[in-house]
Amino acid sequence: MFIRMGIKHLIAALALGMVVSSGVAEDGKTLAPTPPMGWNSWDSYGLTVTEAQFRENMTVLAAQLKEFGWQYVVVDEGWYLQNPENASMPEALRYTVNLRGQYEPATNRFPSSVNGGGFKPLSDAAHDEGLKFGIHIIRGIPKKTVLANTRIGRTKYRASFAADTTDVCPWNPDNFGVKANAAGQAWYDALMKQYAAWGVDYLKVDCIASHPYKGAEIRMIHKAIERSGRSMVLSLSPGPTSLGNVDEVAKNAQLWRISNDVWDHWDTEKGQEWSQSVKGQFPVIASWSRFVGPGSWPDADMLPIGQLRPVPGEGKPRASRLTADEQRTMITLWAIARSPLFIGGNLTQMDDAMKSMLTNPAVIEMDQHSVESGQADQTGDVVVWTSKSSEGTPKKYLAVFNLGDAPLHIDKTYAEYGFVDRAQYRVRDLWQRKELGVQSSLTVDLPPHGSIVLSLRE
C-alpha cells in the first residue's frame, strides 16, 4: 500500500507542477516552499484587534515560537474600521480611507499609522523581530471610493469604471466587487503597490475562493502582486474551494481555504452548519492531499486552540472547547497533511500545555518536510494517514485517529499499514517525545477523538 500510494502521489505532484506557473519570489525562489506557520488575530480578537494587542502577541511569537518555525503575524479583518464594535450596524461604521480611495489602518487602533505611515511601522517592527507581516482584506473597492468616483492612481480611470455595484460580499458590506477590465486591474495594481510600500509579506484575501468564487479577481490580484515589486504570499478565503478550481488557484495563489471556517467543536453543531468541525475536516483534507506541494498549500484553516479571547471572531470569550486529545488530533491531521499552521489562540495567555503542542519539533518537521502524505485507510471510526520524511534521517510517519465517541484498542502490524520494507522498525512517539524501541506492530488504546503519530526508522 505504501509503495502504491507513493507512485500515486508522485504522479499527482508532477501534474500539479505542470499547472503551477508562478509563485516565484524576486530572488527566483519558490514563494512558500513549505507550509506557512504563524499567528492570526481573528480567533481571539475578531474585528477589534489593536496595535498594542497585536504587538504583544508578536512579541510572544518572536520570543517563544519563532525558533520552531512560526514566523508570520497577520492582522485579520477590519483594520480600517474606527468603530468595529458597531459591526452589527453597518450604517454606523466609520472607515479610514486615504485621498487615493484606499483603506488605511484606523489611527485610533493603530497609532503608528498616523501621518500616512500605514502599516509600514508595524511591518518594520515585525521584520526587526525576524518575522513576516501579513494583513487581511475583503476583495473589491470601498463603496465610499466609488461614490466619490476617485481617480485610480495616476491612470485615466476612475473608481466607477472599476466597480461592479451589483456585487457585494454576502457577509461584509464594505466594498463593491471589481470588474475584469483595465480599470479593475488598475485598481488592484495600485492596491498592491500600497501594500508593497508597507512591507506586507502575506496577503489574505477574503470573499474570493468560495461563495462566491471570483476567478477573474484572483487573476487580477496575482498579476498586481507580480507588478508590485515585492514578493507577497497570497492566501485565498473562505472555503470550501472547489476541487474543480484547483488549476486556477494553484497558478495564482500559494494558499487556498478548503472548508468553511473551522472553530472549536469536534462535530457539527445544530444551527451552526456553516462552521466546519474538526471531525468534518478528515474527508475534506484527504480529498486535497494530492495537490500539496511547494508553493501550493490547501489550507485547512486556523487552529482554534488555547484562549479565544477577549473578542473572538465567533461566539463568546472562552477557552477552546476542544479537549486536549481533540487539539492534538487536530494538529496531527493538519501536520501530516502538510496544511499551513496558523495559531488562533491568544498568545499572551498561552499556557505550558499549548506551548508544548506548538513547540514539538518532530510534529513541525512532519508538517514542513514530508512527502507522499495521504489517507491510507478508513475502517469504521479508525482513520490512518501515512507519509515519509524528505529531509534529515530517513523515516516514515504513521498517524492513527479514533473519530469515534468510545475508546478503541488498536493492535496491527506495521506491515498491515503498508510498511513492508522491514519486519521491524525503530519507533518514536512524536507527541510523547519518546522512543518506543524496535517494534513490529502498533498496540495502543486510543481515547475518544484521540490519535497517535509515530515515526518509523530502519
Side-chain angles (χ1 to χ4, degrees), residues 188-209:
Y188 277 126
D189 287 349
L191 204 60
M192 297 308 124
K193 287 179 181 177
Q194 177 193 28
Y195 301 155
W198 286 351
V200 170
D201 304 295
Y202 181 100
L203 182 65
K204 176 182 174 182
V205 183
D206 210 342
C207 200
I208 199 166

Side-chain angles (χ1 to χ4, degrees), residues 60-376:
V60 175
L61 189 138
Q64 301 187 42
L65 303 180
K66 181 181 73 173
E67 65 181 289
F68 296 92
W70 304 92
Q71 61 176 334
Y72 288 92
V73 283
V74 181
V75 182
D76 209 270
E77 187 175 352
W79 40 265
Y80 43 81
L81 297 175
Q82 299 165 32
N83 57 338
E85 64 278 3
N86 288 346
S88 62
M89 300 181 291
E91 68 282 357
L93 289 173
R94 298 194 303 274
Y95 299 88
T96 308
V97 180
N98 64 26
L99 294 177
R100 297 180 298 280
Q102 302 162 327
Y103 289 127
E104 294 278 343
T107 56
N108 63 319
R109 295 169 54 204
F110 297 91
S112 69
S113 66
V114 71
N115 299 323
F119 271 129
K120 185 66 164 62
L122 194 53
S123 76
D124 284 347
H127 296 151
D128 288 344
E129 294 277 15
L131 303 177
K132 295 184 178 181
F133 179 75
I135 61 173
H136 168 289
I137 65 170
I138 296 289
R139 65 172 175 86
I141 183 168
K143 290 179 178 178
K144 183 177 180 179
T145 302
V146 177
L147 293 174
N149 205 19
T150 305
R151 183 181 296 277
I152 299 173
R154 297 180 179 179
T155 72
K156 63 182 179 180
Y157 304 111
R158 291 193 175 269
S160 61
F161 300 153
D164 180 354
T165 57
T166 68
D167 176 23
V168 178
C169 181
W171 64 87
N172 184 294
D174 298 348
N175 299 343
F176 290 123
V178 171
K179 293 177 180 177
N181 60 19
Q185 187 65 61
W187 168 255
Y188 277 126
D189 287 349
L191 204 60
M192 297 308 124
K193 287 179 181 177
Q194 177 193 28
Y195 301 155
W198 286 351
V200 170
D201 304 295
Y202 181 100
L203 182 65
K204 176 182 174 182
V205 183
D206 210 342
C207 200
I208 199 166
S210 180
H211 56 286
Y213 179 74
K214 291 289 183 177
E217 289 193 67
I218 291 171
R219 295 191 299 273
M220 286 192 288
I221 291 169
H222 166 74
K223 183 180 290 186
I225 291 174
E226 287 191 323
R227 294 173 172 178
S228 73
R230 183 176 181 83
S231 299
M232 286 181 257
V233 171
L234 178 58
S235 169
L236 306 176
S237 285
T241 302
S242 168
L243 284 163
N245 291 326
V246 63
D247 284 5
E248 188 161 57
V249 295
K251 286 178 181 177
N252 292 286
Q254 288 71 54
L255 294 78
W256 56 90
R257 277 271 304 283
I258 61 175
S259 74
N260 286 319
D261 291 0
V262 174
W263 280 101
D264 50 327
H265 48 95
W266 173 255
D267 215 338
T268 303
E269 298 184 350
K270 188 175 181 180
Q272 291 189 309
E273 288 77 13
W274 57 269
S275 180
Q276 177 73 326
S277 66
V278 174
K279 182 179 180 180
Q281 281 294 71
F282 276 81
V284 176
I285 292 174
S287 72
W288 282 96
S289 63
R290 65 188 184 277
F291 299 112
V292 168
S296 297
W297 305 112
D299 181 5
D301 203 12
M302 290 178 282
L303 302 168
I305 62 175
Q307 296 295 323
L308 308 179
R309 59 178 81 242
V311 188
E314 183 277 329
K316 296 180 180 180
R318 62 192 182 277
S320 176
R321 294 171 293 205
L322 296 172
T323 67
D325 286 325
E326 290 166 351
Q327 291 182 48
R328 281 192 295 272
T329 287
M330 181 186 202
I331 296 174
T332 301
L333 177 61
W334 268 232
I336 198 166
R338 305 203 69 194
S339 172
L341 300 176
F342 277 85
I343 307 159
N346 190 326
L347 295 181
T348 71
Q349 300 177 31
M350 179 170 60
D351 61 15
D352 290 343
M354 178 177 172
K355 183 177 178 180
S356 179
M357 285 193 297
L358 298 177
T359 58
N360 186 304
V363 173
I364 292 171
E365 180 186 12
M366 181 172 65
D367 177 77
Q368 295 291 290
H369 302 295
S370 62
V371 293
E372 298 180 19
S373 174
Q375 181 174 306

